[in-house]
Amino acid sequence: MNPIRSIPYLLLFLVASFWSCAPSEEKKPEYTLRFGHLANNQHGWHLASLKFAEEVKKRSNGRIDVKVYPNEQLGKEMDVLTGLLVGSADIMITGESLQSWSLPKAILCATPFAIRDSDHLKKVAGGPLGKEIEQHILEGAGFRPIAWFERGARNLTSNRIIRHPDDLQGMILRVPPVSLYVDTWSALGAKPTPMAFSEVFTALQQSTIHGQENPFALIKDAGLYEVQKYCMLTSHVKSWAYVVMSGKKYDSLPKDLQKVIDESAEVMQEYEHELFLVQEKKDYDFLVEKGMEFIEVDNEAFQTAAKEAVLQSFDAEQTALLNRILQVK
């Protein structure tokens, strides 16, 4: 063969070899899901959300991309709940705020003194009662719970020591925008003020409010130890939060991808629980190191006053469900 004439064949071979060895472009996802929550980048909720995104991408072979937005980047909790209905968000972490969507059973996931401990919580949230509440949320508002996270007990913080409900007189206390919390803390003697969590630090710093109540993790992550001296061990709410997805978005996915969401959510739930158990102790130790003083309170006095307020706020259906929760052994 003429060496000159063989050059085009050589070039063609080199070009073909180059393209066969070049990395192929990453397949674009068919679906992108926006996952928002209020916690910061170090919080277990965020790490669990990232785990969910990783599992979904792997199990769907890249067909679904989950983008996670911490720190209320998609908006405040009520805004994101609305976003799930209108399509500006797809997944979020929420809890008792669901009551604001005319979901009376949802408040049972965060009712004062309803849950005794972690074992009781698991039997309720992960059992038939939990499934009943989940179905109520889906049918009533179109939010599909895909997982639940155990939350640390809510404790009261302030710059004055509170040992008894009588000590709450005149205290302006930040609470979530949940009517039961407003009613309960009013009955206990405080002046509850609903407020977005992102506004709490500044409000405490400026003494617009005097105290707030949250689990150790959120007290730590929001730096509230810088503006609050005492943490009262009221443990008034032992609760769980739901990871909810837009029911419309879930239903729009093919069945095989719905299965991916369900399986990935199970992995996320187990992963978050492992993180929670380790982190709860770390958060307590961290707050002690930062100078917060932990105060024992008259739990019986708080529980008695809170129970009366809860029963006054609950309708017959909620009261019946609460009694069923209390009877779970």
Side-chain angles (χ1 to χ4, degrees):
M1 179 182 293
N2 187 323
I4 302 293
R5 294 179 61 188
S6 66
I7 289 177
Y9 295 100
L10 178 61
L11 291 173
L12 183 62
F13 172 78
L14 291 173
V15 169
S17 299
F18 171 80
W19 285 111
S20 65
C21 295
S24 59
E25 291 186 15
E26 187 175 349
K27 184 170 62 174
K28 291 185 178 179
E30 297 173 33
Y31 303 91
T32 299
L33 303 178
R34 288 148 296 187
F35 188 157
H37 61 79
L38 61 79
N40 71 14
N41 298 57
Q42 286 76 49
H43 194 278
W45 286 4
H46 183 62
L47 300 179
S49 303
L50 295 178
K51 181 69 171 177
F52 175 74
E54 176 188 317
E55 288 291 323
V56 167
K57 185 173 184 179
K58 178 177 68 177
R59 292 168 184 265
S60 70
N61 295 316
R63 293 172 64 194
I64 304 178
D65 182 31
V66 178
K67 296 188 180 299
V68 180
Y69 299 87
N71 295 307
E72 294 186 333
Q73 290 177 20
L74 292 183
K76 294 178 172 55
E77 187 172 359
M78 300 304 289
D79 296 329
V80 182
L81 279 169
T82 301
L84 262 61
L85 298 179
V86 301
S88 59
D90 303 297
I91 306 172
M92 72 171 297
I93 303 171
T94 186
E96 57 277 2
S97 295
L98 288 166
Q99 187 201 20
S100 299
W101 293 86
S102 298
L103 297 169
K105 292 183 181 180
I107 195 58
L108 273 300
C109 73
T111 295
F113 299 105
I115 299 294
R116 295 186 295 272
D117 51 35
S118 293
D119 183 60
H120 185 213
L121 187 152
K122 183 177 181 180
K123 290 175 181 177
V124 172
L129 280 171
K131 294 300 179 187
E132 183 178 325
I133 295 172
E134 290 176 14
Q135 191 64 27
H136 172 68
I137 293 169
L138 176 60
E139 293 177 356
F143 306 130
R144 173 179 287 274
I146 59 174
W148 58 268
F149 293 163
E150 179 176 353
R151 304 173 76 174
R154 297 181 80 94
N155 291 287
L156 173 67
T157 70
S158 77
N159 286 323
R160 73 182 199 229
I161 293 177
I162 307 292
R163 298 188 187 277
H164 190 277
D166 292 346
D167 301 328
L168 288 167
Q169 296 300 318
M171 173 180 278
I172 303 174
L173 180 69
R174 179 271 173 179
V175 295
V178 178
S179 59
L180 177 60
Y181 282 21
V182 174
D183 294 342
T184 299
W185 285 105
S186 292
L188 288 169
K191 296 180 178 179
T193 301
M195 180 183 295
F197 184 67
S198 58
E199 300 170 7
V200 171
F201 184 94
T202 300
L204 288 169
Q205 192 176 44
Q206 297 176 349
S207 297
T208 306
I209 57 175
H210 304 143
Q212 64 87 50
E213 43 85 58
N214 260 305
F216 296 150
L218 290 180
I219 294 170
K220 175 184 76 81
D221 291 344
L224 301 185
Y225 53 85
E226 296 179 13
V227 289
Q228 296 276 267
K229 174 67 174 173
Y230 302 107
C231 180
M232 274 53 70
L233 296 173
T234 50
S235 298
H236 51 277
V237 175
K238 181 68 176 171
S239 64
W240 67 96
Y242 283 113
V243 181
V244 296
M245 182 173 179
S246 161
K248 185 182 297 185
K249 175 64 74 172
Y250 181 92
D251 291 341
S252 73
L253 298 175
K255 294 295 183 183
D256 61 324
L257 293 185
Q258 290 179 358
K259 184 178 179 182
V260 165
I261 295 294
D262 295 340
E263 292 175 346
S264 300
E266 287 183 17
V267 173
M268 170 178 59
Q269 180 174 303
E270 293 176 6
Y271 182 69
E272 192 280 335
H273 186 64
E274 293 171 3
L275 294 175
F276 168 78
L277 294 176
V278 173
Q279 197 62 45
E280 185 79 348
K281 178 64 166 59
K282 286 184 177 180
D283 291 340
Y284 175 85
D285 292 341
F286 178 90
L287 294 174
V288 170
E289 278 183 26
K290 291 297 182 179
M292 286 199 88
E293 295 183 29
F294 289 82
I295 309 298
E296 296 290 342
V297 303
D298 186 340
N299 288 104
E300 186 175 349
F302 273 93
Q303 185 169 354
T304 300
K307 183 177 181 180
E308 184 178 342
V310 168
L311 292 178
Q312 288 179 354
S313 299
F314 274 11
D315 60 23
E317 182 182 34
Q318 290 171 317
T319 300
L321 187 55
L322 174 60
N323 288 331
R324 289 169 60 197
I325 289 174
L326 294 173
Q327 290 168 11
V328 172
K329 303 299 182 184

